[in-house]
Amino acid sequence: MATVVIDTDPGTDDAIALIMALNSPELEIKGLTTVGGNARLTHTTANALRLLDRLGHPEIPVAAGASRPLRGAYEYGYGFHGSGGLTIALRPVDSGPHPLRAAEFIIDAGSTYGPDLTLIALGPLTNVAHALQRQPVLASQLHKIIVMGGALEGGNVTPYAEFNIYNDPTAANVVFSSGVPTTMIGLDVCRQVAFDRNKTDWSDGETVGEELAAEIVSAWFEFQPDQPIYDLCDPLAMAAVVEPGILTYTQAEVVVATSGPRSGETRATTGARSVKVATGVDVNRAHATVLARLKTPEA
Ligand code: BDR
Ligand code: CA
């Protein structure tokens, strides 16, 4: 059993990763922390609360975090994820976020669960960086951090930068140099795992998770009529947590460019503060893992 806190900016693919996490008995989810990124913080927080409600887990706390990066401002992903950040409208809920802010929630979880705690970061790394800066001992308490972000090569915001890292490159440097065992699952690997517009039989809609994932993805294909595939970025990061053998890795020091035309580029070289960087994926196994985890496990 892994004790996890999921830092997220839902976000259509964050939503699918959350469905997977809730259907994974190996994970004990202590809370979600939200960050601006795909949408404004108010949207990502409302989306997290509504997703948990729809999926039957309103008891999981949601702590709201950063509405801006360490420097500058987020460039939101509404053009990709739809107005509100989710392509579909979910029922509003009465409950609000946890009284602690995200960074404090992460610090508190670090001291409570210590070496058992894995952070799964699916958005810009602002909350994680705030927590590490405010409580330096956190770096020696955490078991590991799994990051969806960056790439050994290429980008989706610029030719050099992936969205999550582009939106807070300074925070990414804080995390990658923190000394916490960190895994980077980048865009170049994630993009190999996708749903195809013309293959819609992956969901029979029999469980609440499959039904919700199918609603989100089919609404996304309607919203993006020219896109032939839907990349499963955050879902692949979640798949890597529950099925560790599906990715291959190399160890590298990762330094992020924080200014200029290549801002957000993740540069991997050999070095001391080493990060485990994904280099390849077993596409069939990854796909099968995502699909399996959309289903509610039998009791
Ligand atoms: C990442 O950026 C966001 O659009 C997705 O949710 C994912 O976390 C992919 O670059
Ligand atoms: Ca995300």
Side-chain angles (χ1 to χ4, degrees):
M1 179 83 78
T3 306
V4 301
V5 168
I6 303 171
D7 189 70
T8 179
D9 61 336
T12 53
D13 63 326
D14 298 74
I16 295 170
L18 292 177
I19 295 167
M20 294 170 63
L22 292 167
N23 290 333
S24 294
E26 309 89 333
L27 304 185
E28 193 174 345
I29 305 170
K30 294 297 183 186
L32 309 185
T33 51
T34 54
V35 63
N38 287 325
R40 269 185 286 283
L41 181 72
T42 46
H43 280 145
T44 60
T45 305
N47 289 343
L49 288 162
R50 292 174 188 186
L51 285 164
L52 289 174
D53 177 66
R54 166 86 181 256
L55 294 164
H57 285 280
E59 79 288 358
I60 295 178
V62 174
S67 58
R68 59 177 66 93
L70 297 191
R71 288 194 275 154
Y74 295 129
E75 287 183 21
Y76 299 119
Y78 290 107
F80 184 89
H81 294 272
S83 67
L86 258 190
T87 63
I88 61 167
L90 292 172
R91 190 180 66 178
V93 294
D94 294 332
S95 59
H98 192 272
L100 289 181
R101 299 296 296 188
E104 303 302 327
F105 189 93
I106 291 169
I107 290 168
D108 194 55
S111 65
T112 307
Y113 307 110
D116 293 328
L117 184 65
T118 295
L119 284 183
I120 304 173
L122 305 177
L125 289 163
T126 321
N127 291 336
V128 185
H130 276 311
L132 287 164
Q133 287 180 327
R134 279 182 211 162
Q135 182 73 298
V137 74
L138 181 67
S140 58
Q141 292 172 327
L142 291 175
H143 177 47
K144 58 182 170 178
I145 304 175
I146 310 290
V147 173
M148 189 284 121
L152 283 173
E153 210 175 322
N156 55 359
V157 182
T158 71
Y160 312 104
E162 179 280 332
F163 181 87
N164 289 339
I165 304 297
Y166 178 85
N167 263 308
D168 200 339
T170 310
N173 273 331
V174 171
V175 173
F176 290 139
S177 65
S178 66
V180 181
T182 299
T183 301
M184 177 183 120
I185 298 166
L187 187 70
D188 44 348
V189 176
C190 290
R191 276 194 160 155
Q192 298 175 46
V193 186
F195 285 141
D196 190 316
R197 173 183 289 276
N198 299 315
K199 291 193 192 130
T200 53
D201 58 351
W202 51 269
S203 170
D204 50 22
E206 274 184 2
T207 66
V208 61
E210 287 177 299
E211 184 185 55
L212 177 57
E215 280 176 32
I216 289 171
V217 175
S218 67
W220 188 86
F221 277 123
E222 273 176 40
F223 179 58
Q224 305 280 357
D226 299 327
Q227 295 294 334
I229 58 168
Y230 175 78
D231 291 333
L232 293 165
C233 290
D234 294 337
L236 182 65
M238 196 57 69
V241 176
V242 297
E243 287 279 344
I246 61 179
L247 295 177
T248 51
Y249 299 94
T250 187
Q251 289 291 143
E253 183 171 26
V254 177
V255 176
V256 184
T258 56
S259 63
R262 290 186 174 233
S263 184
E265 182 179 41
T266 46
R267 296 171 181 159
T269 52
T270 48
R273 289 279 166 137
S274 167
V275 172
K276 191 172 159 188
V277 180
T279 52
V281 56
D282 181 332
V283 174
N284 290 336
R285 273 186 74 195
H287 222 267
T289 302
V290 172
L291 295 187
R293 303 294 171 140
L294 295 180
K295 292 183 188 294
T296 312
E298 283 171 23

